[in-house]
Amino acid sequence: MSIDADALKTELLSQIEAAPDLAALDGVRVSALGKKGRITAAMKGLGGLDPEARKATGQALNAVKDALAAAIDARKDVLETAEMNTKLEAERIDVTLPVRPEQRGKLHPISQTIDEVVAIFGAMGLSVREGPNIEDGFHNFTALNMPPEHPARQMMDTFYLKGEDGEADMDRVLRTHTSPVQIRTMQSEKPPIRIIAPGRTYRSDYDATHTPMFHQVEGLVIDKDINFGHLKGCLQEFCDAYFEVDHVPLRFRPSYFPFTEPSAEVDIGCSRKGGELKIGAGDDWLEILGSGMVHPRVLDYCGIDPEEYQGFAFGMGIERIAMLKYGIPDLRTFYEADVRWLKHYGFAPIEVASLERGLTP
Ligand code: PHE
Protein backbone atom coordinates (compact mmCIF):
# COMPACT_ATOMS: atom_id res chain seq x y z
CA MET A 1 0.00 0.00 0.00
CA SER A 2 1.31 3.48 -0.80
CA ILE A 3 0.28 6.85 0.51
CA ASP A 4 0.23 9.85 -1.85
CA ALA A 5 0.81 12.81 0.50
CA ASP A 6 0.86 15.31 -2.37
CA ALA A 7 -2.48 14.20 -3.76
CA LEU A 8 -4.01 14.38 -0.25
CA LYS A 9 -2.61 17.87 0.18
CA THR A 10 -3.98 19.17 -3.14
CA GLU A 11 -7.41 17.68 -2.52
CA LEU A 12 -7.78 18.92 1.06
CA LEU A 13 -6.37 22.39 0.31
CA SER A 14 -8.92 22.87 -2.45
CA GLN A 15 -11.70 21.80 -0.04
CA ILE A 16 -10.46 24.38 2.47
CA GLU A 17 -10.41 27.11 -0.16
CA ALA A 18 -13.92 26.16 -1.30
CA ALA A 19 -15.47 26.18 2.22
CA PRO A 20 -18.25 28.80 1.91
CA ASP A 21 -18.60 29.57 5.62
CA LEU A 22 -17.15 28.88 9.06
CA ALA A 23 -19.36 25.84 9.69
CA ALA A 24 -18.31 24.22 6.39
CA LEU A 25 -14.67 25.02 7.12
CA ASP A 26 -14.92 23.28 10.46
CA GLY A 27 -16.41 20.25 8.69
CA VAL A 28 -13.38 20.14 6.37
CA ARG A 29 -11.04 20.46 9.36
CA VAL A 30 -12.66 17.48 11.11
CA SER A 31 -12.66 15.35 7.94
CA ALA A 32 -8.93 16.11 7.39
CA LEU A 33 -7.32 16.42 10.82
CA GLY A 34 -9.92 14.93 13.16
CA LYS A 35 -9.58 11.61 15.00
CA LYS A 36 -11.19 9.78 12.09
CA GLY A 37 -9.87 12.23 9.49
CA ARG A 38 -7.98 11.50 6.29
CA ILE A 39 -4.55 12.57 7.58
CA THR A 40 -5.02 10.65 10.81
CA ALA A 41 -5.99 7.56 8.83
CA ALA A 42 -2.96 7.98 6.54
CA MET A 43 -0.70 8.28 9.62
CA LYS A 44 -2.12 5.01 10.91
CA GLY A 45 -1.30 3.42 7.57
CA LEU A 46 2.40 4.24 7.92
CA GLY A 47 2.88 1.05 9.93
CA GLY A 48 2.37 -1.03 6.79
CA LEU A 49 5.24 0.62 4.86
CA ASP A 50 8.85 -0.45 4.77
CA PRO A 51 11.07 1.59 7.06
CA GLU A 52 12.49 3.97 4.43
CA ALA A 53 9.16 4.81 2.83
CA ARG A 54 7.63 5.08 6.34
CA LYS A 55 10.13 7.80 7.26
CA ALA A 56 9.77 9.81 4.04
CA THR A 57 5.98 9.53 3.94
CA GLY A 58 5.73 10.31 7.66
CA GLN A 59 7.69 13.52 7.14
CA ALA A 60 5.61 14.42 4.10
CA LEU A 61 2.36 13.82 5.98
CA ASN A 62 3.53 16.00 8.87
CA ALA A 63 4.32 18.78 6.41
CA VAL A 64 0.87 18.36 4.82
CA LYS A 65 -0.69 18.53 8.29
CA ASP A 66 1.08 21.83 9.03
CA ALA A 67 0.18 23.24 5.62
CA LEU A 68 -3.49 22.29 6.11
CA ALA A 69 -3.59 23.83 9.61
CA ALA A 70 -2.11 27.07 8.25
CA ALA A 71 -4.54 27.09 5.32
CA ILE A 72 -7.48 26.52 7.69
CA ASP A 73 -6.37 29.45 9.89
CA ALA A 74 -6.02 31.74 6.88
CA ARG A 75 -9.40 30.73 5.47
CA LYS A 76 -10.95 31.20 8.91
CA ASP A 77 -9.70 34.81 9.01
CA VAL A 78 -11.20 35.53 5.61
CA LEU A 79 -14.56 33.98 6.47
CA GLU A 80 -14.75 35.73 9.88
CA THR A 81 -14.13 39.11 8.33
CA ALA A 82 -16.76 38.44 5.67
CA GLU A 83 -19.27 37.31 8.28
CA MET A 84 -18.66 40.43 10.40
CA ASN A 85 -19.14 42.68 7.37
CA THR A 86 -22.45 41.03 6.45
CA LYS A 87 -23.62 41.43 10.03
CA LEU A 88 -22.62 45.10 10.20
CA GLU A 89 -24.36 45.73 6.91
CA ALA A 90 -27.56 44.06 8.14
CA GLU A 91 -27.60 45.83 11.52
CA ARG A 92 -26.78 49.23 10.14
CA ILE A 93 -28.76 52.08 11.78
CA ASP A 94 -29.10 55.64 10.59
CA VAL A 95 -28.39 57.75 13.64
CA THR A 96 -29.46 60.88 11.77
CA LEU A 97 -33.08 59.69 11.39
CA PRO A 98 -35.56 61.89 13.31
CA VAL A 99 -37.56 60.31 16.16
CA ARG A 100 -40.99 59.02 15.28
CA PRO A 101 -43.40 61.92 15.83
CA GLU A 102 -45.98 59.80 17.66
CA GLN A 103 -43.43 59.00 20.36
CA ARG A 104 -42.95 62.63 21.32
CA GLY A 105 -44.09 63.49 24.81
CA LYS A 106 -45.87 66.70 25.74
CA LEU A 107 -45.22 69.11 28.56
CA HIS A 108 -48.17 69.43 30.99
CA PRO A 109 -49.72 72.94 30.98
CA ILE A 110 -48.73 73.30 34.65
CA SER A 111 -45.05 72.77 33.81
CA GLN A 112 -45.33 75.11 30.83
CA THR A 113 -47.03 77.83 32.90
CA ILE A 114 -44.44 77.58 35.69
CA ASP A 115 -41.68 77.86 33.06
CA GLU A 116 -43.32 80.99 31.67
CA VAL A 117 -43.79 82.55 35.11
CA VAL A 118 -40.17 81.83 36.04
CA ALA A 119 -38.97 83.33 32.73
CA ILE A 120 -40.94 86.56 33.22
CA PHE A 121 -40.08 87.18 36.88
CA GLY A 122 -36.54 85.98 36.19
CA ALA A 123 -36.15 88.79 33.66
CA MET A 124 -37.22 91.22 36.44
CA GLY A 125 -34.46 89.89 38.70
CA LEU A 126 -36.47 87.53 40.92
CA SER A 127 -34.96 84.10 41.45
CA VAL A 128 -36.60 80.81 42.39
CA ARG A 129 -36.80 79.31 45.92
CA GLU A 130 -38.44 76.14 47.08
CA GLY A 131 -39.77 74.83 50.37
CA PRO A 132 -41.10 71.52 51.72
CA ASN A 133 -44.63 70.34 50.90
CA ILE A 134 -45.00 68.99 54.45
CA GLU A 135 -44.71 72.10 56.60
CA ASP A 136 -44.76 72.81 60.30
CA GLY A 137 -47.33 75.02 61.97
CA PHE A 138 -44.82 77.78 62.53
CA HIS A 139 -43.96 78.32 58.86
CA ASN A 140 -47.41 77.65 57.40
CA PHE A 141 -49.33 79.70 60.00
CA THR A 142 -47.71 81.23 63.07
CA ALA A 143 -44.92 83.22 61.41
CA LEU A 144 -47.49 84.42 58.86
CA ASN A 145 -49.29 86.10 61.73
CA MET A 146 -51.78 83.29 62.25
CA PRO A 147 -51.38 82.18 65.88
CA PRO A 148 -52.95 78.81 66.86
CA GLU A 149 -56.36 80.29 67.72
CA HIS A 150 -56.50 82.41 64.56
CA PRO A 151 -59.73 81.82 62.57
CA ALA A 152 -57.82 81.91 59.27
CA ARG A 153 -56.34 78.55 60.22
CA GLN A 154 -59.81 77.05 60.11
CA MET A 155 -60.59 78.88 56.88
CA MET A 156 -57.99 76.82 55.10
CA ASP A 157 -59.35 73.28 55.08
CA THR A 158 -56.13 71.63 55.86
CA PHE A 159 -54.62 68.15 55.66
CA TYR A 160 -52.64 67.15 58.74
CA LEU A 161 -50.48 64.05 58.87
CA LYS A 162 -51.05 61.64 61.76
CA GLY A 163 -48.70 61.78 64.69
CA GLU A 164 -47.48 58.78 66.69
CA ASP A 165 -50.65 58.83 68.80
CA GLY A 166 -52.77 58.49 65.64
CA GLU A 167 -54.10 62.03 66.03
CA ALA A 168 -53.54 64.91 63.58
CA ASP A 169 -50.05 66.31 64.13
CA MET A 170 -50.34 70.12 64.00
CA ASP A 171 -46.68 70.26 63.09
CA ARG A 172 -47.00 68.13 59.98
CA VAL A 173 -49.35 69.95 57.65
CA LEU A 174 -49.51 69.79 53.84
CA ARG A 175 -48.81 73.43 53.12
CA THR A 176 -51.99 75.34 52.32
CA HIS A 177 -50.15 78.00 50.33
CA THR A 178 -46.62 78.83 49.12
CA SER A 179 -46.36 81.68 51.66
CA PRO A 180 -44.25 79.58 54.12
CA VAL A 181 -41.44 79.89 51.54
CA GLN A 182 -41.51 83.64 52.30
CA ILE A 183 -40.72 82.82 55.93
CA ARG A 184 -38.01 80.26 55.12
CA THR A 185 -36.31 82.70 52.73
CA MET A 186 -36.42 85.66 55.14
CA GLN A 187 -35.04 83.44 57.92
CA SER A 188 -32.11 82.22 55.87
CA GLU A 189 -31.26 85.21 53.67
CA LYS A 190 -30.57 88.86 54.29
CA PRO A 191 -32.40 91.64 52.41
CA PRO A 192 -32.53 92.75 49.67
CA ILE A 193 -34.67 89.72 48.80
CA ARG A 194 -36.28 89.21 45.39
CA ILE A 195 -37.74 85.76 44.97
CA ILE A 196 -40.58 83.69 43.58
CA ALA A 197 -41.56 80.28 44.90
CA PRO A 198 -43.62 78.09 42.58
CA GLY A 199 -44.89 74.78 43.91
CA ARG A 200 -47.63 72.46 45.07
CA THR A 201 -50.18 73.41 47.69
CA TYR A 202 -53.01 71.45 49.35
CA ARG A 203 -56.51 72.06 50.69
CA SER A 204 -59.35 69.63 51.23
CA ASP A 205 -61.64 70.91 48.49
CA TYR A 206 -62.98 69.25 45.38
CA ASP A 207 -65.22 70.75 42.70
CA ALA A 208 -64.94 72.31 39.22
CA THR A 209 -62.64 75.06 40.51
CA HIS A 210 -60.88 73.33 43.44
CA THR A 211 -58.69 70.23 43.64
CA PRO A 212 -57.06 68.94 46.85
CA MET A 213 -53.64 69.53 45.29
CA PHE A 214 -52.98 72.61 43.21
CA HIS A 215 -50.15 75.01 42.46
CA GLN A 216 -49.26 78.52 43.45
CA VAL A 217 -46.41 80.88 42.83
CA GLU A 218 -45.39 83.14 45.66
CA GLY A 219 -43.57 86.43 45.11
CA LEU A 220 -41.58 88.31 47.73
CA VAL A 221 -39.55 91.50 47.42
CA ILE A 222 -37.92 93.05 50.52
CA ASP A 223 -35.73 96.13 50.50
CA LYS A 224 -35.35 99.48 52.22
CA ASP A 225 -37.87 101.55 50.29
CA ILE A 226 -40.29 99.19 48.60
CA ASN A 227 -43.84 100.53 48.33
CA PHE A 228 -47.23 99.53 46.96
CA GLY A 229 -46.38 101.16 43.63
CA HIS A 230 -43.63 98.61 43.13
CA LEU A 231 -46.14 95.82 43.70
CA LYS A 232 -48.50 97.28 41.13
CA GLY A 233 -45.75 97.84 38.57
CA CYS A 234 -44.37 94.35 39.05
CA LEU A 235 -47.77 92.67 38.61
CA GLN A 236 -48.70 94.89 35.65
CA GLU A 237 -45.50 93.96 33.87
CA PHE A 238 -46.06 90.31 34.67
CA CYS A 239 -49.65 90.26 33.38
CA ASP A 240 -48.76 92.07 30.13
CA ALA A 241 -45.93 89.62 29.44
CA TYR A 242 -47.81 86.51 30.51
CA PHE A 243 -51.10 87.18 28.73
CA GLU A 244 -49.22 88.72 25.79
CA VAL A 245 -51.50 91.77 25.82
CA ASP A 246 -50.31 95.38 25.60
CA HIS A 247 -51.88 96.65 28.80
CA VAL A 248 -54.00 94.24 30.82
CA PRO A 249 -56.47 96.24 32.95
CA LEU A 250 -55.74 95.42 36.63
CA ARG A 251 -58.06 96.02 39.57
CA PHE A 252 -56.65 96.06 43.10
CA ARG A 253 -59.53 95.19 45.41
CA PRO A 254 -58.99 95.86 49.15
CA SER A 255 -58.91 92.53 50.98
CA TYR A 256 -57.58 90.85 54.09
CA PHE A 257 -54.67 88.49 54.69
CA PRO A 258 -53.15 88.16 58.17
CA PHE A 259 -49.62 88.43 56.72
CA THR A 260 -50.01 91.57 54.58
CA GLU A 261 -51.16 95.09 55.41
CA PRO A 262 -52.62 96.62 53.35
CA SER A 263 -53.87 93.64 51.35
CA ALA A 264 -55.41 93.46 47.92
CA GLU A 265 -56.87 90.86 45.65
CA VAL A 266 -56.03 91.47 42.03
CA ASP A 267 -58.46 91.03 39.14
CA ILE A 268 -57.71 91.21 35.44
CA GLY A 269 -60.04 92.80 32.92
CA CYS A 270 -61.72 90.52 30.42
CA SER A 271 -64.81 90.05 28.32
CA ARG A 272 -67.05 87.00 28.03
CA LYS A 273 -69.16 87.94 25.03
CA GLY A 274 -70.79 84.96 23.36
CA GLY A 275 -69.19 82.56 25.80
CA GLU A 276 -65.73 83.41 24.50
CA LEU A 277 -63.26 84.66 27.08
CA LYS A 278 -60.94 87.47 26.05
CA ILE A 279 -58.26 88.75 28.38
CA GLY A 280 -57.29 92.43 28.36
CA ALA A 281 -60.53 94.06 27.22
CA GLY A 282 -64.17 94.30 28.21
CA ASP A 283 -66.00 95.06 31.44
CA ASP A 284 -65.71 91.78 33.30
CA TRP A 285 -63.16 90.98 36.01
CA LEU A 286 -61.43 87.75 37.02
CA GLU A 287 -59.52 87.28 40.25
CA ILE A 288 -56.02 85.86 39.79
CA LEU A 289 -54.07 86.52 42.98
CA GLY A 290 -53.76 87.82 46.53
CA SER A 291 -51.15 90.39 47.49
CA GLY A 292 -50.10 93.16 49.83
CA MET A 293 -47.31 94.81 51.79
CA VAL A 294 -45.58 92.34 54.11
CA HIS A 295 -46.97 92.77 57.65
CA PRO A 296 -44.39 94.24 60.07
CA ARG A 297 -45.08 91.38 62.48
CA VAL A 298 -44.05 88.86 59.81
CA LEU A 299 -40.76 90.69 59.29
CA ASP A 300 -40.29 90.64 63.06
CA TYR A 301 -40.87 86.86 63.21
CA CYS A 302 -38.10 86.45 60.63
CA GLY A 303 -35.61 88.71 62.40
CA ILE A 304 -35.87 91.54 59.86
CA ASP A 305 -36.25 95.04 61.34
CA PRO A 306 -39.56 96.49 60.06
CA GLU A 307 -38.25 100.00 60.84
CA GLU A 308 -35.51 99.46 58.27
CA TYR A 309 -37.06 97.13 55.69
CA GLN A 310 -40.38 96.64 54.01
CA GLY A 311 -41.65 94.77 51.02
CA PHE A 312 -44.49 93.29 49.07
CA ALA A 313 -45.72 89.75 48.54
CA PHE A 314 -48.20 88.03 46.31
CA GLY A 315 -49.56 84.54 45.76
CA MET A 316 -51.02 83.49 42.44
CA GLY A 317 -52.86 80.33 41.36
CA ILE A 318 -50.96 78.57 38.58
CA GLU A 319 -53.94 76.50 37.38
CA ARG A 320 -56.08 79.63 37.32
CA ILE A 321 -53.78 81.60 35.02
CA ALA A 322 -53.13 78.50 32.86
CA MET A 323 -56.89 77.97 32.38
CA LEU A 324 -57.35 81.63 31.46
CA LYS A 325 -54.51 81.81 28.96
CA TYR A 326 -55.03 78.44 27.31
CA GLY A 327 -58.82 78.20 27.51
CA ILE A 328 -58.99 75.06 29.66
CA PRO A 329 -62.53 74.95 31.07
CA ASP A 330 -62.38 72.39 33.93
CA LEU A 331 -59.69 72.35 36.60
CA ARG A 332 -60.21 68.68 37.44
CA THR A 333 -59.04 67.58 33.98
CA PHE A 334 -55.51 68.74 34.88
CA TYR A 335 -55.12 65.74 37.15
CA GLU A 336 -57.00 62.99 35.34
CA ALA A 337 -53.83 61.89 33.54
CA ASP A 338 -55.70 61.47 30.24
CA VAL A 339 -53.17 61.24 27.42
CA ARG A 340 -55.67 62.60 24.89
CA TRP A 341 -56.10 65.69 27.07
CA LEU A 342 -52.34 66.13 27.31
CA LYS A 343 -51.98 65.70 23.56
CA HIS A 344 -54.50 68.50 23.08
CA TYR A 345 -53.42 70.96 25.78
CA GLY A 346 -49.76 69.97 26.20
CA PHE A 347 -46.68 71.75 24.88
CA ALA A 348 -43.70 70.71 22.82
CA PRO A 349 -40.83 69.76 25.13
CA ILE A 350 -37.27 71.06 24.76
CA GLU A 351 -38.28 74.55 23.64
CA VAL A 352 -38.18 76.15 27.09
CA ALA A 353 -40.19 79.33 27.65
CA SER A 354 -38.15 82.49 27.31
CA LEU A 355 -39.05 86.14 26.83
CA GLU A 356 -36.64 86.51 23.93
CA ARG A 357 -37.92 83.63 21.82
CA GLY A 358 -41.57 83.92 22.81
CA LEU A 359 -43.09 82.27 25.85
CA THR A 360 -45.17 79.65 24.06
CA PRO A 361 -43.42 77.31 21.60
N1 PHE B 1 -51.20 82.91 50.55
C1 PHE B 1 -52.37 83.60 50.07
C2 PHE B 1 -53.40 82.55 49.64
O1 PHE B 1 -53.06 81.41 49.43
C3 PHE B 1 -52.06 84.51 48.93
C4 PHE B 1 -51.16 85.66 49.29
C5 PHE B 1 -49.80 85.54 49.18
C6 PHE B 1 -51.71 86.86 49.74
C7 PHE B 1 -48.96 86.60 49.52
C8 PHE B 1 -50.88 87.91 50.05
C9 PHE B 1 -49.52 87.78 49.94
O2 PHE B 1 -54.57 82.86 49.47
Side-chain angles (χ1 to χ4, degrees):
M1 176 188 156
S2 76
I3 295 166
D4 189 343
D6 272 349
L8 254 181
K9 182 178 169 185
T10 314
E11 186 194 337
L12 292 172
L13 276 182
S14 73
Q15 280 182 22
I16 290 167
E17 279 318 304
D21 55 38
L22 288 169
L25 180 65
D26 202 53
V28 177
R29 182 186 62 79
V30 171
S31 76
L33 305 173
K35 256 194 210 143
K36 291 178 185 157
R38 304 276 297 279
I39 300 293
T40 321
M43 290 289 201
K44 280 182 186 152
L46 287 176
L49 301 180
D50 56 61
E52 221 159 276
R54 188 189 305 155
K55 193 179 170 205
T57 312
Q59 279 172 354
L61 282 177
N62 273 326
V64 171
K65 210 171 153 181
D66 290 346
L68 292 178
I72 288 171
D73 277 350
R75 182 69 185 152
K76 200 171 163 195
D77 271 353
V78 172
L79 290 174
E80 272 174 356
T81 310
E83 219 156 87
M84 177 63 85
N85 285 339
T86 325
K87 212 170 159 190
L88 284 177
E89 195 64 33
E91 290 174 1
R92 189 185 188 128
I93 50 164
D94 182 353
V95 292
T96 66
L97 276 177
V99 293
R100 293 200 183 100
E102 67 270 25
Q103 287 179 346
R104 255 205 200 167
K106 287 273 186 112
L107 221 52
H108 195 282
I110 291 296
S111 307
Q112 170 70 21
T113 304
I114 290 176
D115 285 351
E116 293 181 27
V117 169
V118 168
I120 297 168
F121 285 118
M124 293 186 214
L126 281 73
S127 54
V128 173
R129 297 292 182 278
E130 288 184 315
N133 286 21
I134 301 174
E135 263 298 359
D136 54 46
F138 178 78
H139 289 94
N140 196 82
F141 296 119
T142 310
L144 288 160
N145 200 22
M146 285 180 267
E149 333 67 50
H150 198 285
R153 283 205 184 195
Q154 269 72 55
M155 267 161 52
M156 300 193 177
D157 275 319
T158 311
F159 294 110
Y160 289 99
L161 278 80
K162 276 187 188 155
E164 266 163 22
D165 56 3
E167 296 293 313
D169 179 350
M170 295 300 159
D171 260 330
R172 287 203 301 160
V173 53
L174 292 183
R175 65 179 182 188
T176 55
H177 48 179
T178 41
S179 301
V181 188
Q182 286 188 38
I183 305 301
R184 292 184 177 276
T185 308
M186 287 190 279
Q187 283 178 324
S188 62
E189 296 176 31
K190 296 223 163 333
I193 291 170
R194 291 181 170 75
I195 60 120
I196 52 168
R200 287 184 187 154
T201 46
Y202 307 83
R203 290 180 203 176
S204 64
D205 279 332
Y206 190 67
D207 58 39
T209 52
H210 298 89
T211 49
M213 188 279 299
F214 58 105
H215 295 75
Q216 289 189 338
V217 57
E218 194 79 8
L220 176 70
V221 173
I222 304 283
D223 208 337
K224 287 199 163 136
D225 38 31
I226 296 295
N227 60 49
F228 206 92
H230 294 119
L231 169 63
K232 291 180 92 170
C234 175
L235 292 176
Q236 182 72 57
E237 198 162 314
F238 169 78
C239 288
D240 294 352
Y242 177 76
F243 290 108
E244 295 169 295
V245 168
D246 243 357
H247 189 85
V248 180
L250 289 191
R251 182 170 76 174
F252 285 75
R253 233 178 336 103
S255 184
Y256 171 76
F257 299 102
F259 36 94
T260 46
E261 183 60 34
S263 304
E265 278 170 298
V266 177
D267 304 334
I268 54 171
C270 63
S271 80
R272 277 185 259 219
K273 281 206 188 78
E276 205 205 320
L277 179 70
K278 236 186 124 221
I279 307 286
D283 41 23
D284 245 340
W285 298 98
L286 270 170
E287 182 194 323
I288 59 162
L289 62 90
S291 66
M293 300 305 293
V294 179
H295 197 293
R297 213 172 286 155
V298 173
L299 295 172
D300 241 348
Y301 267 118
C302 301
I304 292 176
D305 182 0
E307 297 293 329
E308 197 181 353
Y309 289 102
Q310 51 202 324
F312 65 77
F314 59 85
M316 187 158 46
I318 296 284
E319 283 81 354
R320 170 52 75 92
I321 61 168
M323 289 166 79
L324 292 176
K325 181 168 177 179
Y326 296 113
I328 306 171
D330 189 334
L331 172 66
R332 288 169 293 199
T333 57
F334 277 77
Y335 303 112
E336 280 168 357
D338 186 331
V339 183
R340 293 164 304 178
W341 183 89
L342 190 60
K343 234 179 185 167
H344 182 78
Y345 287 112
F347 293 84
I350 313 294
E351 287 128 73
V352 176
S354 89
L355 280 179
E356 295 71 27
R357 283 185 293 109
L359 288 175
T360 348

Coordinates of all heavy atoms in Angstrom, one line a residue, residues 156 176-179 182 203 216 218-219 257 259-260 290-292 313-316, ligand 1:
M156 N -58.7 77.7 56.1 CA -58.0 76.8 55.1 C -58.2 75.4 55.5 O -57.7 74.9 56.5 CB -56.5 77.1 55.1 CG -56.2 78.6 54.8 SD -54.4 78.7 54.4 CE -54.3 80.4 54.0
T176 N -50.7 74.9 52.9 CA -52.0 75.3 52.3 C -51.8 76.5 51.3 O -52.7 76.9 50.6 CB -52.9 75.9 53.4 OG1 -52.2 76.9 54.2 CG2 -53.3 74.7 54.4
H177 N -50.5 77.0 51.3 CA -50.1 78.0 50.3 C -48.6 78.0 50.2 O -47.9 77.3 50.9 CB -50.7 79.4 50.8 CG -50.4 79.8 52.2 ND1 -50.8 81.0 52.7 CD2 -49.8 79.1 53.2 CE1 -50.5 81.0 54.0 NE2 -49.8 79.9 54.3
T178 N -48.1 78.8 49.3 CA -46.6 78.8 49.1 C -46.0 79.9 50.0 O -44.8 80.1 50.1 CB -46.2 79.1 47.7 OG1 -47.1 80.1 47.1 CG2 -46.3 77.8 46.8
S179 N -46.9 80.6 50.8 CA -46.4 81.7 51.7 C -45.3 81.2 52.7 O -44.4 82.0 53.0 CB -47.5 82.4 52.4 OG -48.4 82.9 51.4
Q182 N -41.9 82.3 51.9 CA -41.5 83.6 52.3 C -40.7 83.6 53.6 O -39.6 84.2 53.7 CB -42.7 84.5 52.6 CG -43.5 85.0 51.4 CD -44.6 86.0 51.9 OE1 -44.3 86.8 52.8 NE2 -45.8 85.9 51.3
R203 N -55.4 71.7 49.8 CA -56.5 72.1 50.7 C -57.6 71.0 50.4 O -57.7 70.5 49.3 CB -57.1 73.5 50.4 CG -56.1 74.6 50.8 CD -56.7 75.9 50.5 NE -55.5 76.9 50.4 CZ -55.7 78.2 50.1 NH1 -56.8 78.7 49.8 NH2 -54.6 78.9 50.0
Q216 N -49.3 77.1 43.3 CA -49.3 78.5 43.5 C -47.9 79.0 43.1 O -46.9 78.2 43.1 CB -49.5 78.9 44.9 CG -51.0 78.8 45.4 CD -51.2 79.4 46.7 OE1 -50.3 79.6 47.5 NE2 -52.4 79.7 47.0
E218 N -45.5 82.1 44.7 CA -45.4 83.1 45.7 C -44.4 84.1 45.1 O -43.4 83.8 44.5 CB -44.9 82.5 47.0 CG -45.0 83.4 48.2 CD -46.4 83.4 48.7 OE1 -47.2 82.6 48.3 OE2 -46.7 84.2 49.6
G219 N -44.6 85.4 45.4 CA -43.6 86.4 45.1 C -43.2 87.2 46.4 O -44.1 87.4 47.2
F257 N -55.5 89.6 54.4 CA -54.7 88.5 54.7 C -53.9 88.8 56.0 O -53.5 90.0 56.2 CB -53.6 88.2 53.6 CG -54.3 87.9 52.2 CD1 -54.3 88.9 51.2 CD2 -54.8 86.7 52.0 CE1 -54.9 88.6 50.0 CE2 -55.4 86.4 50.8 CZ -55.5 87.3 49.8
F259 N -51.1 88.2 56.9 CA -49.6 88.4 56.7 C -49.3 89.6 55.8 O -48.1 89.8 55.5 CB -48.9 87.2 56.2 CG -49.8 86.4 55.2 CD1 -49.6 86.6 53.9 CD2 -50.7 85.5 55.7 CE1 -50.4 85.8 53.0 CE2 -51.5 84.7 54.8 CZ -51.4 84.9 53.5
T260 N -50.3 90.3 55.3 CA -50.0 91.6 54.6 C -50.9 92.7 55.1 O -52.0 92.5 55.6 CB -50.3 91.4 53.1 OG1 -51.5 90.7 52.9 CG2 -49.2 90.6 52.4
G290 N -53.7 87.0 45.3 CA -53.8 87.8 46.5 C -52.4 88.5 46.7 O -51.4 87.9 46.4
S291 N -52.4 89.7 47.4 CA -51.2 90.4 47.5 C -51.2 91.4 48.6 O -52.3 91.6 49.2 CB -50.8 91.1 46.2 OG -51.8 92.1 46.0
G292 N -50.1 92.1 48.9 CA -50.1 93.2 49.8 C -48.7 93.5 50.3 O -47.7 92.9 49.8
A313 N -45.6 91.2 48.8 CA -45.7 89.7 48.5 C -47.0 89.5 47.8 O -47.9 90.3 47.8 CB -45.7 88.9 49.8
F314 N -47.0 88.4 47.0 CA -48.2 88.0 46.3 C -48.2 86.5 46.2 O -47.2 85.9 46.2 CB -48.3 88.7 44.9 CG -47.2 88.4 44.0 CD1 -47.2 87.2 43.2 CD2 -46.1 89.3 43.9 CE1 -46.1 87.0 42.4 CE2 -45.1 89.0 43.0 CZ -45.1 87.8 42.2
G315 N -49.4 86.0 46.0 CA -49.6 84.5 45.8 C -50.6 84.3 44.7 O -51.7 84.8 44.7
M316 N -50.2 83.6 43.6 CA -51.0 83.5 42.4 C -51.3 82.0 42.2 O -50.4 81.2 42.4 CB -50.2 84.1 41.3 CG -51.0 84.2 40.0 SD -50.2 85.5 38.9 CE -48.4 85.1 39.1
Ligands
PHE1 N1 -51.2 82.9 50.6 C1 -52.4 83.6 50.1 C2 -53.4 82.5 49.6 O1 -53.1 81.4 49.4 C3 -52.1 84.5 48.9 C4 -51.2 85.7 49.3 C5 -49.8 85.5 49.2 C6 -51.7 86.9 49.7 C7 -49.0 86.6 49.5 C8 -50.9 87.9 50.1 C9 -49.5 87.8 49.9 O2 -54.6 82.9 49.5

